[in-house]
Amino acid sequence: MADDLRVRPLTRADHAQWLPLWDGYNAFYGRSGETALDPAVTAMTWSRIFDADEPVHGLVAEQDGRLLGLVHYLFHRSTTMIEPICYLQDLFTTEQARGKGVGRALIEAVYDAARAAGASRVYWQTHETNATAMKLYDQVADKSGFLVYRKPL
């Protein structure tokens, strides 16, 4: 990736470029068409990023004024440690930016933000079929060995 790639916090002025990235992320995970997120969820996610009382944060990768990727992360407590933990919840880059260091730069920026917040760990999950992303993840983190279980309520 060119040297002029910049990772920075999301701003309200980014909404028009953030939304297609957010929609692309959700489409990648099958949340589009009839299974698309309710627009209220998208609006609330955007709102939370800018609410000082919320633990949700957002960063974007920008080059030449164009957003190439996004990452959202949040901090939470744990019953097994004193320091907060950082959960990297959403990571997405444009197709053209893949394999060019944008995802890595976004992950590294989350690591920096987590260190600055005193977090002891950053973790995330991905779908077992996301082999392309896992090639990067295997380079920048360790697999925990844990599987995710969930039950819609």
Side-chain angles (χ1 to χ4, degrees):
M1 194 90 244
D3 292 334
D4 60 344
L5 179 71
R6 187 177 132 203
V7 176
R8 61 169 178 78
L10 260 170
T11 68
R12 291 186 187 277
D14 292 324
H15 188 266
Q17 289 193 70
W18 170 86
L19 188 56
L21 291 169
W22 175 244
D23 289 343
Y25 171 78
N26 284 297
F28 180 83
Y29 281 108
R31 295 183 294 263
S32 61
E34 289 183 21
T35 59
L37 285 182
D38 183 318
V41 173
T42 294
M44 182 59 76
T45 297
W46 181 254
S47 174
R48 285 177 175 158
I49 291 168
F50 300 102
D51 184 339
D53 292 330
E54 290 283 348
V56 180
H57 305 275
L59 301 170
V60 288
E62 178 183 45
Q63 186 176 49
D64 299 325
R66 213 173 110 238
L67 299 188
L68 302 178
L70 64 76
V71 65
H72 302 138
Y73 60 98
L74 58 95
F75 294 103
H76 66 86
R77 302 281 182 218
S78 171
T79 59
T80 60
M81 57 190 65
I82 294 171
E83 304 84 7
I85 296 175
C86 181
Y87 178 56
L88 189 159
Q89 187 161 13
D90 311 312
L91 176 66
F92 185 77
T93 68
T94 62
E95 193 165 335
Q96 302 85 346
R98 292 187 191 140
K100 297 181 179 169
V102 176
R104 179 185 296 268
L106 287 163
I107 291 169
E108 293 292 339
V110 171
Y111 289 169
D112 291 343
R115 280 187 206 96
S120 59
R121 177 185 306 153
V122 175
Y123 74 103
W124 63 92
Q125 59 187 1
T126 192
H127 196 272
E128 63 187 8
T129 61
N130 196 355
T132 300
M134 285 189 280
K135 288 177 188 173
L136 169 61
Y137 301 162
D138 288 342
Q139 295 173 28
V140 300
D142 300 320
K143 288 182 183 171
S144 69
F146 284 89
L147 300 176
V148 175
Y149 289 82
R150 66 180 180 191
K151 171 140 177 73
L153 302 176

